[in-house]
Amino acid sequence: MERPHQTQVDPRDGGGQDEAATTIIPVVRSDQPADASSESFPAQAQAYSGVPGATAAAAAPSDPAAPGPPPVPPAGPPTGPQDGQGAPQPGSPGRSPLVKIAIGAAALAAVGLVAYGADYVLSGDSVPRGVTVAGVDVGGLSTTDAEAKLRAQIGPRADQPVPVQAGEVQTEIVPSEAGLAVDWSATLDRAGSQPLNPVTRLTSLFSEREIGVVTTTDPAKLTEAIDGIRLQTDRAPLEGNVVFEGATPIAVTPRQGQNLDGQAAETAFAENWANGDGVDLPVSVVPVSVGQDGVDRAMSEVAVPAVATDLVVTGRDNKSAVLRRDQVGGVLTFAPDGNGGLTPQYNVDAAIGLLAPQLAGTEVQPKDATFSLTGGAPTVVPAVTGDMIEWRKTLEQLPALLAQTGPRTTAAVYEQKPPALTTAAADKLGIRQVIGEFTSGGFEYASGVNIRLAASEINGAVVKPGETFSLNGYTGPRGSAEGYVESGVINNGRPAKAVGGGISQLATTLYNAAYFAGMEDAGHTEHSYYISRYPAAREATVFEGAIDLKFKNDSPTGVLIQAFGTGSDVTVRLWGTKTVDVQSIPGERSAPTDPNTVTLPKGPGCIASSGAKGFTTSDTRVITDHATGQEISRHTRTVKYDPVPIVKCE
């Protein structure tokens, strides 16, 4: 069989479009017999002709009887088409690199498409690749396996303390105790379905996507847990300051305060507790008003110099008072100045309290004029003018003194101080005669002790014109420390005992003396039930801090109170200038009431009583002019007394 004619293109001639390849183009003559060789060879040559870079060997049939490759024509420039065959057609594989690139890209795309489809089908029921839950990788796992893995690795975290950081404070919260748990299904639902985007599927091979857990909460327990750590997390700001320990000033470093933001803290903990690396809880910062610079200035400029040496105040008679270095802290303190610094504050009263007693012996205390009754009539005891240290003037330069270098000495400033009641003023009070007097008795021994003590305290009191006298105010406390003892009182309508009991006897006596002196009643209270040793509707009781006896001196002259007691009675006299006369008109008793019976356990708290009827009565006071006898006023006071209960001690 005649071998088909072949045209070879020498790659060296530069005539081909692809200089790197040898293209073999099979040629079939029109008059060639149609035997098996002539039918198959062109077909094979055509099949390979479209593959870039194909060689003659690759295009030859595999039949071992096939003839070998045709001889290579001599080198030299091509002479054009041979045997009537045409030149290679435009667009043939050997002449277009763009076609080859397109074919390669299409092949690669086909491979990728097949791989994408296979990957999507195989992973359709799995969690998308790269998904992590609270740091646990579940990407590519089935939903069942993913949930099992999460339960095993995250589940125990609910019962373990989770570190929380609130500003500068670290503490712990147990999630389960705070009402938190994981919703496993909702958590895995967050992962979503397999992505369709091929880019997303490709990048998932090299990246992670954290989706966190979905938490179920018990709001009440969560709030309780967050509030439960406030004692640790919340704190007031610590202001910068300077304090003293003895003679050593100590700088207090400022520290900002903080308050836990409750709502935001609940949200942050609920969302992040399962992460395994703790939770930051938000706090609001409470700033300080004094900074470190302000503290440093106060230390160096004020505090340190203030304790450098003692302060000495010189007085009369070669006496002196010393404010020691270790006492400066009781006088010098610091307060915020509003500009980040500290301003010194000097407590002059505290300094006086430390210095004044040391120079008290150099002073003369003022003394009011008093009255003596030793001669049967009041005489004026002259007043004494004081000569006292004016401490505020003495310590006007206290800040400068405490900043002074070297010895710190200043002289005490003395000034005369007049008495409250001078001798001349006492002479003008007109205290000359008794204007009112009353005596009462019948008290027991313990009551007598208290009555005489209280009488001695008010004895000599002077009530100037227009002033109001208060029995409780003048005696002050009447307790064991003042020498008073336990005696009879009326408590809740029944007889009882208390320290200071019996003073009502003195109150009644003083009330009657003021009554007959024509003094204005400024407030008094009768006993709840009638006591036979007192005049009905003309008596008074007192109770420290609750019930008082007061009268006002509405006369133009002063009043001197004289009070004294014996073992059986007490007397009160009011001295002044007599201008009025007073008459008491007792009223009839009416509306009697029967007592009830009270039974108490026998013991110190029970005082037996036979009881007495209650009733209503009155007293009318008539005041007339002492010189003319003309009536000035008439006043009736009606009093209702309760029955005295029958008390049985059993």
Side-chain angles (χ1 to χ4, degrees), residues 514-573:
Y515 176 99
F516 287 109
M519 298 290 102
E520 178 183 332
D521 182 8
H524 82 283
T525 302
E526 292 86 359
H527 287 84
S528 58
Y529 58 79
Y530 176 64
I531 299 175
S532 60
R533 62 180 179 270
Y534 302 149
R538 214 179 69 214
E539 46 88 18
T541 185
V542 289
F543 193 86
E544 184 180 335
I547 304 174
D548 198 5
L549 167 66
K550 298 178 181 179
F551 68 85
K552 181 179 180 180
N553 178 12
D554 56 352
S555 71
T557 61
V559 171
L560 170 67
I561 298 176
Q562 181 185 14
F564 56 91
T566 67
S568 58
D569 59 33
V570 59
T571 299
V572 176
R573 295 190 186 112

Side-chain angles (χ1 to χ4, degrees), residues 219-242:
K221 287 186 177 181
L222 181 56
T223 299
E224 181 181 359
I226 295 299
D227 288 344
I229 63 173
R230 285 189 180 276
L231 288 178
Q232 302 173 62
T233 62
D234 292 11
R235 66 170 184 235
L238 178 62
E239 292 291 351
N241 201 358
V242 175

Side-chain angles (χ1 to χ4, degrees), residues 29-161:
R29 293 176 58 178
S30 59
D31 58 350
Q32 182 175 346
D35 58 10
S37 297
S38 63
E39 290 176 355
S40 61
F41 185 82
Q44 292 173 351
Q46 290 171 3
Y48 282 93
S49 65
V51 180
T55 63
S62 59
D63 185 357
V72 179
T79 57
Q82 299 178 11
D83 296 332
Q85 297 300 317
Q89 297 298 314
S92 65
R95 300 201 177 190
S96 177
L98 294 177
V99 171
K100 292 186 286 183
I101 292 173
I103 293 173
L108 182 61
V111 172
L113 182 61
V114 172
Y116 167 83
D119 178 64
Y120 184 82
V121 171
L122 293 175
S123 61
D125 295 331
S126 302
V127 177
R129 281 189 299 269
V131 169
T132 61
V133 178
V136 178
D137 184 6
V138 293
L141 298 179
S142 67
T143 302
T144 302
D145 290 344
E147 180 174 334
K149 185 176 182 180
L150 293 178
R151 285 181 179 274
Q153 296 192 30
I154 296 179
R157 297 180 189 176
D159 298 318
Q160 298 169 354

